[in-house]
Amino acid sequence: MKKEVSKRRFNISWLDTTLMLLALVVLLIANIVAKPALNNSKNVQKEKDNIVQESKTQSASTTLQSKNQKDDIYISLLRKEKNKIERISLEEYVIGVVAAEMPAEFNLEALKAQAVASRTYAARRIVGKALHEGYEGKKVYLCDDFSHCQAYIDKDEMKQKWGKNFEKYYKKIHMAVKETKGEVLVYKGQIIDSLFHAASGGKTEDAKEVFGEDVAYLKSVVSRGEEACPKFSGEFYFTYGEFIKRLKKYFPGLRVETKNISSQIRVIERTTTQRVRCVKVGNTILSGNQFRNIFGLYSTEFWIYPDKRGVRIQTRGYGHGLGMSQWGANYLARQGKNYKQILLYYYQNVKICRLKYR
């Protein structure tokens, strides 16, 4: 009996030893395998940390403060014609701007591009504390006057504008804004000046031609498919009497000889995109933009044709030509481009970042 017990103890001891050795081997193999996995995990975390850090860097100048909601910001909007200040959310404001600035019939991706450009414009003014003159005490940054800020219409005005199509168009624009919520365009950590216009006339303008210095994200690009714009081309005619009268209103010292007036009106310099840089009339030199504003022309890409009785002016394009062409954006959208591709085409070297509310 004792001998049998002893034999069993020997067998158990041998088995235990074998199992312990096997366990050690398994542990050693597991440790070897785990090392690269651990290193890989560290690399992933490092990459994640880099992305987070990059995101923090990019968002440094894209943080807006919200006192009302955790995920939104409210602004004071000056309604000039109504002579009142309205308190609305930034996203609601963007809906109103897109509805006013771009045809609701446009492709959804073009409307999204417009939403980001319009939000960027507003955010730049807010972050830069560009208060509206005369309303600094009320902290008004934006108004609904397109000649000063961006055009804007509220729901009642949308109903008047769209009639029976109100529900369809409102849902469409609301979707464009919702699907791009908080997105803005940033260059080197700063929110850009997201200029846009209706139609460039085939090629957008380089900011250097307008401002006299380079703006890295406002470079000239080819812009196709704009011919459908109602004011893509235009023709204006002024008798010499009306022509001179308009000019003298802004330039009282203007002198033009009554004989052979046509020889005293000429474009003396154009930009590389064929927009007029300056015009000479008699003894006065005007910038192309001044000339455009005085005569209500569609753009600064124009040609002057004097005749015996007056001046005929032909224009190409609609707007200042800087930044995104709205009709060009719609063309790209119809060609299958998404809103991000459209924005990165018209605004060079930028990144699309999301605003942080705090």
Side-chain angles (χ1 to χ4, degrees), residues 200 202-209 215-223 271-273 275 321-323 345-346 348:
S200 70
K203 198 171 185 181
T204 65
E205 184 64 286
D206 191 312
K208 188 175 183 180
E209 301 283 9
V215 179
Y217 52 82
L218 292 177
K219 296 293 184 181
S220 178
V221 298
V222 172
S223 186
T271 68
T272 55
T273 58
R275 290 174 175 82
L322 289 164
Y345 178 73
Y346 282 109
Q348 305 286 300

Side-chain angles (χ1 to χ4, degrees), residues 259-322:
K259 291 182 179 180
N260 198 19
I261 294 179
S262 61
S263 65
Q264 300 171 67
I265 305 168
R266 62 190 179 91
V267 172
I268 58 176
E269 191 176 1
R270 291 184 181 273
T271 68
T272 55
T273 58
Q274 293 306 297
R275 290 174 175 82
V276 174
R277 181 176 281 125
C278 47
V279 182
K280 186 174 183 180
V281 181
N283 66 332
T284 303
I285 294 178
L286 305 77
S287 71
N289 200 49
Q290 286 175 320
F291 192 89
R292 177 200 172 191
N293 291 334
I294 289 171
F295 294 102
L297 307 180
Y298 294 157
S299 75
T300 56
E301 189 175 353
F302 58 82
W303 291 263
I304 302 173
Y305 302 99
D307 61 27
K308 291 181 179 180
R309 294 183 300 172
V311 178
R312 180 167 55 90
I313 305 170
Q314 289 185 338
T315 63
R316 181 180 173 88
Y318 186 30
H320 51 61
L322 289 164

Side-chain angles (χ1 to χ4, degrees), residues 24-43:
L24 285 170
V25 171
V26 169
L27 284 171
L28 285 169
I29 293 171
N31 188 49
I32 291 168
V33 172
K35 280 185 178 179
L38 182 61
N39 289 336
N40 186 56
S41 176
K42 286 180 179 178
N43 289 335

Side-chain angles (χ1 to χ4, degrees), residues 3-209:
K3 186 177 180 182
E4 185 65 20
V5 169
S6 227
K7 186 176 179 182
R8 285 181 182 177
R9 282 180 179 172
F10 172 78
N11 288 338
I12 291 169
S13 175
W14 177 84
L15 183 60
D16 289 343
T17 303
T18 303
L19 289 172
M20 286 178 66
L21 288 171
L22 284 171
L24 285 170
V25 171
V26 169
L27 284 171
L28 285 169
I29 293 171
N31 188 49
I32 291 168
V33 172
K35 280 185 178 179
L38 182 61
N39 289 336
N40 186 56
S41 176
K42 286 180 179 178
N43 289 335
V44 170
Q45 184 61 42
K46 185 177 180 181
E47 184 66 20
K48 184 179 178 182
D49 290 341
N50 287 339
I51 292 170
V52 170
Q53 184 58 42
E54 183 180 0
S55 176
K56 286 180 180 178
T57 302
Q58 292 174 358
S59 302
S61 297
T62 57
T63 302
L64 297 180
Q65 189 169 3
S66 173
K67 294 181 180 179
N68 296 50
Q69 292 184 3
K70 194 173 182 179
D71 62 344
D72 210 346
I73 183 172
Y74 277 70
I75 63 169
S76 294
L77 175 67
L78 173 62
R79 306 299 307 275
K80 281 194 172 180
E81 287 191 6
K82 295 183 178 183
N83 194 28
K84 67 176 184 177
I85 297 172
E86 294 180 2
R87 188 78 171 162
I88 60 174
S89 73
L90 177 61
E91 298 304 310
E92 183 183 348
Y93 166 75
V94 175
I95 290 173
V97 172
V98 176
E101 291 279 7
M102 181 174 272
E105 300 88 348
F106 274 15
N107 186 284
L108 181 62
E109 293 303 309
L111 292 169
K112 288 181 183 179
Q114 181 65 58
V116 176
S118 296
R119 186 184 297 108
T120 300
Y121 176 89
R124 179 181 172 89
R125 289 188 66 85
I126 297 168
V127 171
K129 300 190 183 302
L131 291 163
H132 196 295
E133 186 178 356
Y135 295 87
E136 295 86 353
K138 296 183 179 180
K139 293 188 176 179
V140 173
Y141 298 99
L142 300 157
C143 72
D144 60 357
D145 181 0
F146 74 91
S147 65
H148 184 272
C149 294
Q150 300 182 109
Y152 167 89
I153 55 176
D154 57 29
K155 280 189 177 182
D156 288 336
E157 292 165 317
M158 291 177 206
K159 289 176 182 177
Q160 292 176 10
K161 180 179 181 180
W162 299 327
K164 64 181 182 180
N165 291 316
F166 168 74
E167 291 292 339
K168 179 176 73 172
Y169 288 158
Y170 182 81
K171 286 180 181 178
K172 186 178 180 183
I173 291 176
H174 184 274
M175 182 185 294
V177 175
K178 182 180 179 182
E179 292 185 3
T180 62
K181 182 175 181 180
E183 291 183 350
V184 293
L185 300 167
V186 173
Y187 175 73
K188 290 188 175 180
Q190 301 295 321
I191 299 174
I192 73 165
D193 189 4
S194 54
L195 298 172
F196 55 86
H197 58 282
S200 70
K203 198 171 185 181
T204 65
E205 184 64 286
D206 191 312
K208 188 175 183 180
E209 301 283 9

